[in-house]
Amino acid sequence: ELGRQILADLHAEGRLPGWVTGDEVYGRDPNLRAWLESPEVDTGYVLAISASTRIALSPVLTARADSVLKTLMASDWVIDSCGNGSKGERRYAWAWVATTSPRHHLLIRRSLAPNAKGVRELAFYLCFAPEGRPVTLRTLIAVAGRRWPVEEDFQVAKDAFGLDHSQVRTYPALLRHLVLAIAALAVVAVTTAHARTTA
């Protein structure tokens, strides 16, 4: 609800971006998805969903997101980067699956290398493309990848700037604490970037 309110404020100010992304907390919220798809908002999204989320693949077939893997061939996978990370390019195998709606898609991400348990990790995304907006697999991959820099910034803000170290009880006090911590992070990030370009 808080996330939707932030997006609603951006929409009211005319600053809502053309695409929204988020983790499974946001992806499993049908009210958020319906709001983003509403004619007044009509904003694209790439939201993570659980493997057990049911997807309408045809008018008569609904299946779990992870069961779609059985229908994919090797040629259905594309290897691409969703952006830079702390260890370089974030390269994965991606599959793009149609649903009953021409505006909704299932996006599947698979790790290129097995983890310690010998399993290639998977992630599933429900995607929505507004009417009249051309969408490509590359666009959806790029939107999915925008989540990581934000998460990394929040982790740094928690570790180094005390973003999560507040005991406030009111919204205004919490907002002041959050703004101060994020402002400190921004000052350090800008200073660091400037030092790198002049060095």
Side-chain angles (χ1 to χ4, degrees):
E1 183 60 32
L2 183 59
R4 192 186 69 76
Q5 187 56 56
I6 291 170
L7 294 173
D9 290 345
L10 289 171
H11 182 256
E13 296 169 5
R15 297 190 301 128
L16 184 65
W19 290 93
V20 172
T21 188
D23 61 20
E24 286 183 31
V25 171
Y26 301 98
R28 72 172 169 244
D29 184 352
N31 295 325
L32 173 64
R33 294 195 316 263
W35 181 79
L36 288 167
E37 294 176 23
S38 68
E40 306 82 41
V41 180
D42 204 27
T43 296
Y45 61 72
V46 178
L47 298 172
I49 56 173
S50 69
S52 62
T53 302
R54 305 221 36 105
I55 305 294
L57 299 173
S58 76
V60 294
L61 177 63
T62 301
R64 286 174 48 115
D66 59 355
S67 70
V68 174
L69 292 166
K70 299 172 191 169
T71 68
L72 299 175
M73 300 181 296
S75 60
D76 293 326
W77 294 94
V78 173
I79 296 175
D80 202 349
S81 170
C82 59
N84 286 321
S86 57
K87 298 177 182 176
E89 289 284 327
R90 288 192 167 99
R91 294 179 59 77
Y92 296 95
W94 301 86
W96 187 18
V97 181
T99 68
T100 53
S101 164
R103 298 172 67 190
H104 291 89
H105 312 279
L106 174 64
L107 181 66
I108 304 172
R109 186 192 79 210
R110 185 180 67 194
S111 295
L112 297 178
N115 61 17
K117 296 178 181 178
V119 177
R120 291 186 182 188
E121 295 177 0
L122 295 163
F124 302 88
Y125 301 87
L126 186 59
C127 309
F128 168 75
E131 189 75 47
R133 184 182 303 173
V135 64
T136 63
L137 176 59
R138 182 71 202 116
T139 299
L140 299 179
I141 291 170
V143 173
R146 293 303 304 149
R147 217 178 88 218
W148 280 291
V150 174
E151 289 184 2
E152 287 173 349
D153 287 347
F154 271 102
Q155 192 59 50
V156 170
K158 288 177 183 179
D159 294 344
F161 298 96
L163 180 67
D164 58 343
H165 295 224
S166 65
Q167 296 182 1
V168 297
R169 299 284 184 255
T170 64
Y171 180 73
L174 177 62
L175 188 60
R176 289 183 192 114
H177 175 77
L178 295 177
V179 168
L180 181 62
I182 294 297
L185 172 63
V187 168
V188 170
V190 169
T191 304
T192 302
H194 180 68
R196 285 181 181 161
T197 58
T198 57

